[in-house]
Amino acid sequence: MLTRLAASPSFHALHYRNFRLLWLGQLVSFSGTSMQAAAVLWHVAVLAPPDQKGWALGMVGLVRFVPIVLFSILSGVVADAHDRRRLMLFTQSLMALFAFVLAALAFRGLDALWPLYLLTGLGAAAGSFDGPARQSLIPQLVPREVLPNAISLNTIMFQTAAVLGPSIAGILIATAGLPWVYALNAASFLAVLVALWAMRDVPEPPAHTRSDVSLAAALEGLKFTFSHPLIRSTMLLDFFATFFSAATALLPIFAQDVLKVGAKGYGWLYAAPSVGAMIAGIVMVRTSEGIVNRGRVLLYAVGVYGLSTIAFGLSRSFALTFLCLAVTGAADTVSMVLRNVVRQLATPDTMRGRMTGVNMVFFMGGPQLGELEAGLVAQATTAPWSVITGGIGCIVATAWTAWRTPELREYRRVPPDSGSES
């Protein structure tokens, strides 16, 4: 089936064996990771005192955010200095170990919050080293002209996994129990490990182009990233938009107390953004190369993301809430594909790990820190009000970024025979 897909222009990155292996392995592994992410939030909501749910759920975002801030810059330097495939083998093994320990504790009857927070934080620390290595490895697996298609396909893979994972988690929580979610996630890492071991002839940058692990190398990466207005502005937009609209942490409250749909309904709500994202990803695979006014489309997409978040906060219907969350996922995917294409094409391979490390602070730090903000606002007011004000903040941040960065507003795809993009 994948061979037939690879023959299609829309899926031609799958023609390359090493990319295809990583793509399939990540599909399985990210499904497990999404399962565990949903299960941890549900577990925290079950264990936390009723009057402290908002605060307890927000803490999940904090324990994920702190390792990203501490290690992302260093991890980017490491990814540029070492073999990225071997680095992934190490980080994936570590994340599998942490998932296994969480499963073992859950089977023994975990009834305290701190092990959940600790193991979630350790997983985030390992993931902060895995992200730059993984994203920097992809351009080594396909030719440069195929990279936009590979990025779009990776987005589809990620969102497909984010649909499957929470849906399966909701069913497992309601039937087999939470420990089995954690156990399946631990097993899912084997798919990536096998894929990495099975790769052949992965090209490596010349040894003399690799950076060393030093403060100077880290500062060089920071200088490169922030000296490019398009890269800088897309990172800031990503951070502020996801910071204000990170409502995922509050979904257990909506499922349990607002909509009253139980664990299965929670699983579907958690997966809803990825349903929309998967549909948008399929569309983007076919159309992303034809989008001319890329900067404006990106800004409009983030604006729609904020508006849909407001509608989600106002909704008291399961169907409408699902639809609003699906629209947020679709809008986020459109902007995500465009952001990633801009960054990858504008970054030389020798700097790609460090650029990705800096980006992780914004891309992953925004939603994780936003979950803490959403939880605190929900604790002080209500969960719906937290979501509504977050959507308003997203729109304001988008308008501010558009006003402050004319390069982003005017960014367009230039025909191939007209030179580089501007």
Side-chain angles (χ1 to χ4, degrees):
M1 179 178 176
L2 281 176
T3 303
R4 290 196 297 270
L5 279 177
S8 167
S10 298
F11 297 89
H12 57 291
L14 293 176
H15 173 75
Y16 298 90
R17 179 180 181 274
N18 288 337
F19 176 78
R20 186 167 65 247
L21 284 170
L22 184 62
W23 192 85
L24 285 170
Q26 287 183 120
L27 177 61
V28 176
S29 179
F30 278 139
S31 295
T33 300
S34 298
M35 287 170 54
Q36 178 160 307
V40 165
L41 290 174
W42 185 267
H43 205 164
V44 168
V46 169
L47 294 179
D51 62 341
Q52 297 181 25
K53 274 187 183 181
W55 177 86
L57 289 168
M59 282 295 295
V60 176
L62 180 63
V63 298
R64 288 172 177 160
F65 173 73
V66 170
I68 293 170
V69 172
L70 291 178
F71 299 121
S72 287
I73 305 300
L74 172 62
S75 66
V77 176
V78 172
D80 283 340
H82 296 285
D83 185 309
R84 291 154 179 171
R85 186 175 69 92
R86 293 181 180 178
L87 182 57
M88 279 191 69
L89 284 168
F90 178 70
T91 56
Q92 292 284 323
S93 299
L94 268 184
M95 290 188 286
L97 174 63
F98 297 143
F100 174 80
V101 172
L102 182 55
L105 291 175
F107 275 117
R108 295 183 63 181
L110 179 61
D111 58 1
L113 288 173
W114 71 264
L116 281 171
Y117 292 144
L118 175 62
L119 289 167
T120 297
L122 289 173
S128 69
F129 283 87
D130 184 77
R134 172 169 40 83
Q135 293 191 38
S136 301
L137 178 64
I138 291 171
Q140 296 174 223
L141 307 182
V142 297
R144 180 179 175 85
E145 63 271 14
V146 182
L147 185 57
N149 182 252
I151 292 172
S152 296
L153 287 174
N154 249 25
T155 301
I156 291 179
M157 174 275 299
F158 180 81
Q159 300 301 350
T160 301
V163 171
L164 294 174
S167 303
I168 296 171
I171 295 171
L172 284 177
I173 292 171
T175 54
L178 277 163
W180 285 103
V181 178
Y182 302 141
L184 282 179
N185 177 47
S188 73
F189 287 101
L190 291 173
V192 174
L193 292 172
V194 170
L196 291 168
W197 277 114
M199 287 182 181
R200 296 196 300 262
D201 302 320
V202 178
E204 283 292 323
H208 70 273
T209 65
R210 291 182 178 176
S211 68
D212 55 352
V213 180
S214 65
L215 177 61
L219 292 175
E220 184 183 13
L222 287 168
K223 181 180 178 181
F224 169 83
T225 300
F226 286 102
S227 65
H228 287 70
L230 283 173
I231 296 177
R232 182 181 66 244
S233 63
T234 55
M235 287 183 180
L236 290 172
L237 180 65
D238 195 7
F239 177 83
F240 286 116
T242 55
F243 173 79
F244 287 114
S245 291
T248 303
L250 301 180
L251 283 178
I253 296 177
F254 278 86
Q256 294 172 6
D257 303 330
V258 178
L259 301 174
K260 302 185 186 302
V261 292
K264 290 184 180 179
Y266 166 69
W268 282 107
L269 288 177
Y270 196 98
S274 297
V275 171
M278 186 167 57
I279 295 171
I282 294 172
V283 173
M284 289 296 287
V285 164
R286 297 179 178 273
T287 63
S288 60
E289 287 300 305
I291 297 175
V292 177
N293 296 309
R294 289 179 172 176
R296 294 190 180 185
V297 172
L298 194 161
L299 290 166
Y300 289 145
V302 180
V304 170
Y305 181 82
L307 289 172
S308 301
T309 300
I310 295 172
F312 156 49
L314 293 171
S315 172
R316 295 298 179 271
S317 160
F318 176 82
L320 179 58
T321 299
F322 185 93
L323 177 62
C324 292
L325 289 170
V327 173
T328 65
D332 188 46
T333 294
V334 173
S335 66
M336 182 190 305
V337 170
L338 294 176
R339 292 193 310 263
N340 285 340
V341 168
V342 170
R343 293 168 190 158
Q344 292 284 14
L345 292 180
T347 305
D349 186 72
T350 55
M351 196 66 66
R352 198 166 268 130
R354 280 167 283 180
M355 181 278 293
T356 304
V358 175
N359 181 46
M360 281 183 63
V361 177
F362 296 87
F363 173 68
M364 297 181 67
Q368 305 304 344
L369 192 59
E371 287 184 5
L372 175 63
E373 179 270 341
L376 293 176
V377 174
Q379 188 70 42
T381 57
T382 64
W385 182 244
S386 175
V387 172
I388 293 167
T389 54
I392 294 171
C394 173
I395 293 173
V396 171
T398 303
W400 180 84
T401 303
W403 172 63
R404 293 286 297 174
T405 315
E407 295 91 343
L408 181 60
R409 294 198 309 269
E410 303 304 323
Y411 176 71
R412 296 165 61 88
R413 181 187 67 84
V414 179
D417 57 354
S418 301
S420 59
E421 296 187 6
S422 60

